[in-house]
Each structure stands twice: as structure tokens, then as C-alpha cells.
């Protein structure tokens, strides 16, 4: 019998990753196409369709495609739209699901990448038995997927879970959203890089960072320098973890999750970010929550969580329809 | 036919209010008994039972009692317990629901008073059609009930929704919980009173407050003095509303509610607290949420929301069982 699969699509600013994912989380085929290469959403969807269909024809006897789940910046689950995504060329409010369903003639669901990651952890990672948990994605920005009573929190308008934009400091760092002092201006790959330069101004420690222009520093190099004992790198992680933990304590006061998963480039720093975050979270928690909640790397840290999570959108819907 | 009613019980530090509430939200009988007068939970429950049963015998032909809903400080919906409530004489983790069911031989549910207020607004107030909303109770402290996808957010451990203890200022005011800088140390009846004295230290305005010792100022008098133009009272509301709105913007980034209800003594100040809170919330919101969310007084502000909300716990359960 042909394996039943779902197409997971992760739309990023530069590339769009795709994969055919079965209910067990095995990826039968994965690939990527350009995002930037298509000026209109219609041309992008046509290209995606011909790419996927071409591949399906090659393997048509071995799989049955049930639907398409999509993770996209500013993807709105309720409305099936992508709305004013800052990193995409397609502006305004795009009727994405309708356009996709017209092209593919299959059920399509969309949400943002952090919600998709939370669903991926639920169906294919370590959150399987948890009805209340939090996913934090630490990439260029800080994304979040909140799970309450077993479901993603979409909120009234489909845009819930923007923890990257809770307030850290009044009149703080300029954020890409137009506000100042948002969490993601401090806790993200770009946030920790800003902290490295802040610390070079504040402290007199010798550091290799003093030889590197701001524009050239890759955030991933900060972890390597912390490992080799650079005091600026170590302090940068401590300060970043402190602010992450302080913000997470407030999130716990909202939804009291069983566990907090972190994912993304900065999550690969492991103990450097997790240890100070845990310490700070515990210090800031109301006593009733203390000692109960772990911060752990996603089980899918080394797998394609974005594609798995996008596919999970459809698999979760199918599970619900079958009464699971 | 006898009217079907639910007993709503609101356990406060001093008095326990009770009422028989039908599905339409009409209270057929209400009364109160002492809370402080009973040193053990067992003696309290026996007194409550004989009080209610005595009354039911008088009206036994006109009502049928279906269950008992209870709002209590630190009431845990999942476990049916009251755990280390600071204002109650009964210490430790009390198996409250079990003790009540043994005494009354009826279904009993418990939660905290802010969650009960949110349920009251849902079943008997203005939140009937809303699947995502927030209830803030502004009394001696600041309580909150979060509603997501039509259900109260209890969280992993039953203790979600403690927005009174999110951080406002690092190293800020001492809070009753042991932490410093919590929201309820600023935004509550006692919080605004502290702000009045802070403002007398900061500013040189003439004010009647300068004649009143801290220990004697009743928070409700602050509204009257704002009405009569006292600059300290007006500034105290502006500062309190600013901090409330700033905190609410962060809560919106978590759950994106359709509407925010406020309830309790400080909510009676109306525009004095709501106008600066709205202004500040809008200023601090991510653009995608702006202009969408209203802050309004509870529809039950002049009714017994605590008893109605406690009763709503049982009515909501019965609605769910009947597939409504």
C-alpha cells in the first residue's frame, strides 16, 4: 500500500523548504526552492506546484498525498492568509490558502513558523504527552508557540504568541517592529550580537571580538568563543539568558506550561543559554511554580522541525477528525 | 417544576458568600457566613452544610440543587484542593472537593476567584460569544482569568493566570508574594494607595492626602478626590493605568484576547483607570494588535460576580456534558 504523506512547506525569506512527511515523522523526500526568485505569490505557487508534482509523478506508486501544511511568517491559521510579512516580497494580505487550494486541489493549512515548531514537537518530538507547553524559537528573531489544553493558542485574531515583542526595558533597544525594548532585540541571534558590542563598551576585558566589525560578526561564533573562555562571550550569554529567564517567568504566570522547549540557532548554544535562563527564571517565578518547569532543547534540533511542524498542521487536523 | 439551581460559594478571607443560581444567572437566595469563625476546614464545611440544608428545606419544593461551584483563594481546579491560601486560617494542601462531596453528596468544583469571575462573565455577562478574553480583578490584589479557545487556562498544574505577579520593575516594590516589583504591588487597591504616597514624596502639589496617615487612607476615596480635582489622585490613576496598560500589552502578545474585562473595587473608578490603561496598552502593543481590543468594566460589576462565577463552574460543566 502507498504510504500516506503530507507536504510540509516552510516559507523563509530566502528559501522555501519542502518535505513529504508520514504520520510517524519520517521525511520521504525533501528539497528546497527559492522564495525570493518569485515576485508574485501566484508565480511562487505555480513553481511550487510543478516542482512537487514532478517529484510525485516519479514516486506516485509509493505515496498518497493527503494535504499541505505551511509555516510562513505572519501566517494566520484562522484566515488562511499571510499578512504583511516583513521578510517576504509579497505585500499586503495574501489569500494564501485559497490560492494554494485552487492550485493543488488538496486541503491546505497555514500558521507561523513558531506555531508549526510547537506542533512538530507535539507530534514528532518530546511534547507528545504534554497538554500545556511552550516553544521558543531563537533565530534572527524570537518566535513562540503556546500550547494550552492540547491546542495551539491562536487567539482572537490568529496572531497570538508574539513573545518576541513583550517588554524588557522601557526606552530600550530599537526593535524591527518599530517599538523599543522588545525581548527579541535582546534574546535572539541578533540580540546577543548587540549585547557583545554593548559589553565591549561597558567592560575593559580583552577579547577577540574587539578585532571584528559589527557587520562581520556571525552570532554562531559567540558560542565557540564562550567555549574558549572569552569573557565577553560568556557575559553575553549570561545577560541573554538572564533576560530570557526573566521573560519566561512572566509567561509561566500566564499559562503555567509543563515544559519549555527552545529551538533555533541560538538554542544550539545549549548550556550557555539554558543554564543562565533556568537560574533567572527560577529567581523570578512565583513560589508556586518553582522547581517544576524545565527548559530543554527541542528534540528536533537536528532535524527539519520547520517542515515537520508544517506537516503536523495537517496530521493534527486529520487526527482530530478521526477522533484521536 | 422545581427550578434547577447550583450553589455558588465564594470563600473570602473574612466572609463566605453563597447563592443559589439558576442557568439564567438569577440568584434565588443569597447569604453569607463567617470564614474566620471556623478554625478547621471540617468545621467550616459542616457549618456551610447545615446552613444551606436548613435553607433548602424551607424552599425544597421550588428548587433542585445540581451541584456546588466554589471560588477560593489558591483553589486548584484539577486537584480539587485549596493550597496554602495566604488569607485563610486552614493551612497546607486541603482536599477541599473531597471533603465537600463527602458532606453534600453532590458534584463539587473549585477554582480561584478570578477564574470564577471569568466564567461568570462568560455565562452571565458580556463575554458570551467570545472564545478568547481576559478578566482582570482589581481588589486588594490583582487577579486574572484567561480564556483561550473557550476554556479557562488552568495550565499544567492548575495555577495558571497569576498576572498579578508579572514583573513591572526589577528591584521594585515589595510584593506580598515575597518577590519585588510585581504588577499587583502597583496596580490594585493597595498598589494605587502606595502610589499616592510615592507621589507625595516626588511632587510638591497641595493635596488633601497630605493630612491622611497611610494606615487610614481607604483606596475608594482616591476616586472621589480625582473627581474633585486633586492632582495627586489624578496622577496616581495615570501612573496606575499606565502600568496596567503596559502589562496588558504583554498579555495580548501571549493570548491575543478579543476583549479585556476589569472587575473589583478599583474597576469602579471607571474612566480614571480605564482611559490611561487603554492609552498605554495601545502605545505598547505590537502594530498587528492595535485598535482591536477594548478594556471594559465587567457587566457584573454591580452584581455578585463571585457567587455567579462560582456557580458558573458547575453550569459550564453541565453544558459541556449535554453537548452544548
Amino acid at each position: 500500500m502507498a504510504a500516506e504523506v503530507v507536504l510540509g512547506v516552510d516559507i523563509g525569506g530566502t528559501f522555501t523548504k519542502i518535505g513529504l512527511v508520514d504520520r510517524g515523522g519520517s521525511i520521504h523526500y525533501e528539497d528546497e526552492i527559492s522564495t525570493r526568485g518569485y515576485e508574485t505569490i501566484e508565480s511562487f505557487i505555480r513553481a511550487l506546484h510543478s516542482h512537487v508534482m514532478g517529484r510525485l509523478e516519479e514516486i506516485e506508486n509509493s505515496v498518497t498525498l493527503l494535504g499541505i501544511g505551511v509555516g510562513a511568517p505572519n501566517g494566520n491559521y484562522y484566515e488562511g492568509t499571510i499578512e504583511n510579512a516583513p521578510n517576504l516580497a509579497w505585500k499586503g494580505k495574501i489569500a494564501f490558502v485559497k490560492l494554494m487550494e485552487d492550485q493543488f486541489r488538496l486541503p491546505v493549512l497555514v500558521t507561523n513558523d513558531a506555531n508549526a515548531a510547537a506542533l512538530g514537537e507535539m507530534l514528532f518530538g518530546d511534547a507528545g504527552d504534554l497538554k500545556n507547553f511552550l516553544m521558543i524559537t531563537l533565530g534572527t528573531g524570537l518566535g513562540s508557540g503556546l500550547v494550552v489544553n492540547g491546542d495551539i493558542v491562536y487567539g482572537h485574531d490568529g496572531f497570538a504568541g508574539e513573545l518576541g515583542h513583550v517588554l524588557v526595558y522601557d526606552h530600550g533597544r530599537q526593535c524591527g517592529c518599530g517599538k523599543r525594548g522588545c525581548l527579541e532585540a535582546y534574546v535572539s541571534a541578533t540580540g546577543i550580537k548587540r549585547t557583545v558590542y554593548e559589553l565591549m563598551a561597558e567592560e575593559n576585558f580583552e577579547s577577540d571580538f574587539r578585532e571584528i566589525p559589527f557587520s562581520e560578526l556571525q552570532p554562531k561564533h559567540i558560542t565557540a568563543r564562550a567555549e574558549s573562555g572569552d569573557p565577553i562571550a560568556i557575559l553575553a550569554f549570561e545577560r541573554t539568558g538572564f533576560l530570557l529567564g526573566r521573560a519566561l517567568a512572566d509567561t509561566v504566570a500566564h499559562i503555567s506550561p509543563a515544559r519549555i522547549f527552545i529551538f533555533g540557532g541560538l538554542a544550539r548554544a545549549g548550556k550557555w543559554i539554558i543554564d543562565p535562563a533556568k537560574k533567572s527564571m527560577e529567581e523570578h517565578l512565583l513560589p508556586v511554580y518553582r522547581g517544576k518547569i524545565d527548559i530543554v532543547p527541542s528534540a528536533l534540533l537536528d532535524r527539519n522541525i520547520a517542515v515537520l511542524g508544517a506537516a503536523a498542521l495537517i496530521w493534527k487536523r486529520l487526527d482530530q477528525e478521526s477522533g484521536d
Side-chain angles (χ1 to χ4, degrees), chain A residues 226-272:
Chain A
E227 299 279 359
S228 63
D230 186 298
I232 295 287
I234 292 169
L235 270 178
F237 274 114
E238 283 178 7
R239 194 168 284 188
T240 305
F242 173 84
L243 292 175
L244 175 58
R246 202 181 69 172
L248 289 176
D250 282 354
T251 296
V252 170
H254 282 77
I255 62 164
S256 191
R259 202 180 300 156
I260 297 167
F261 296 92
I262 63 172
F263 186 81
L266 195 54
R268 292 180 189 280
K271 68 173 183 181
W272 293 102

Side-chain angles (χ1 to χ4, degrees), chain A:
Chain A
M1 199 179 89
E4 294 183 323
V5 295
V6 158
L7 179 66
V9 179
D10 167 46
I11 300 179
T14 310
F15 291 105
T16 293
K17 294 179 181 172
I18 61 177
L20 295 172
V21 181
D22 68 25
R23 182 61 188 84
S26 292
I27 301 180
H28 289 238
Y29 154 71
E30 58 189 321
D31 203 350
E32 64 185 32
I33 69 170
S34 167
T35 310
R36 287 224 181 111
Y38 302 93
E39 284 184 23
T40 66
I41 184 68
E42 290 80 4
S43 61
F44 170 79
I45 288 175
R46 277 194 301 272
L48 182 66
H49 181 257
S50 72
H51 193 87
V52 171
M53 288 301 130
R55 182 62 190 157
L56 277 179
E57 277 173 25
E58 296 172 28
I59 57 173
E60 64 182 333
N61 291 324
S62 62
V63 301
T64 306
L65 183 57
L66 300 180
I68 303 169
V70 183
N74 290 21
N76 188 316
Y77 178 79
Y78 289 141
E79 302 201 29
T81 52
I82 297 176
E83 305 188 19
N84 299 304
N87 302 325
L88 300 181
W90 321 314
K91 295 306 174 195
K93 186 169 173 172
I94 298 163
F96 181 75
V97 163
K98 182 175 185 315
L99 293 168
M100 284 284 286
E101 288 184 340
D102 287 350
Q103 184 75 61
F104 281 88
R105 304 283 160 192
L106 283 168
V108 177
L109 292 172
V110 66
T111 189
N112 70 39
D113 48 352
N115 287 338
L119 285 168
E121 198 72 38
M122 195 190 296
L123 268 67
F124 308 126
D126 280 351
D129 54 338
L130 304 179
K131 294 292 181 195
N132 298 274
F133 71 92
L134 177 66
M135 168 66 72
I136 298 283
T137 64
L138 297 170
T140 310
L142 186 154
S144 61
L146 285 65
V147 175
V148 165
N149 296 329
D151 285 311
I152 294 285
V153 179
Y154 293 111
H156 173 59
D157 56 358
F159 290 117
E162 287 288 354
L163 300 196
H165 302 280
V166 300
L167 189 74
V168 167
Y169 290 120
D170 251 332
H171 314 295
R173 291 181 186 170
Q174 180 68 52
C175 182
C177 74
K179 298 199 299 165
R180 298 196 81 100
C182 293
L183 183 62
E184 80 170 23
Y186 298 84
V187 182
S188 63
T190 49
I192 193 170
K193 176 173 159 176
R194 292 166 87 160
T195 300
V196 162
Y197 287 82
E198 179 180 79
L199 283 164
M200 282 195 277
E202 286 180 24
E203 307 294 341
N204 284 324
F205 301 121
E206 286 185 27
S207 165
D208 291 347
F209 290 121
R210 296 195 191 273
E211 313 305 320
I212 306 172
F214 187 97
S215 60
E216 288 178 19
L217 179 62
Q218 300 289 320
K220 63 188 173 189
H221 295 157
I222 303 170
T223 308
R225 282 165 207 265
E227 299 279 359
S228 63
D230 186 298
I232 295 287
I234 292 169
L235 270 178
F237 274 114
E238 283 178 7
R239 194 168 284 188
T240 305
F242 173 84
L243 292 175
L244 175 58
R246 202 181 69 172
L248 289 176
D250 282 354
T251 296
V252 170
H254 282 77
I255 62 164
S256 191
R259 202 180 300 156
I260 297 167
F261 296 92
I262 63 172
F263 186 81
L266 195 54
R268 292 180 189 280
K271 68 173 183 181
W272 293 102
I273 182 88
I274 288 178
D275 290 355
K278 273 187 193 169
K279 180 165 178 284
S280 167
M281 183 178 79
E282 286 292 325
E283 284 168 7
H284 289 92
L285 281 176
L286 202 60
V288 70
Y289 303 123
R290 283 181 200 151
K292 290 180 176 177
I293 305 158
D294 211 359
I295 304 174
V296 298
S298 163
L300 307 177
L301 200 57
D302 294 316
R303 298 182 63 200
N304 198 338
I305 195 175
V307 165
L308 287 169
L313 262 175
I314 296 287
W315 280 121
K316 186 165 199 296
R317 171 72 65 91
L318 293 170
D319 287 353
Q320 283 167 338
E321 286 171 0
S322 70
D324 184 0

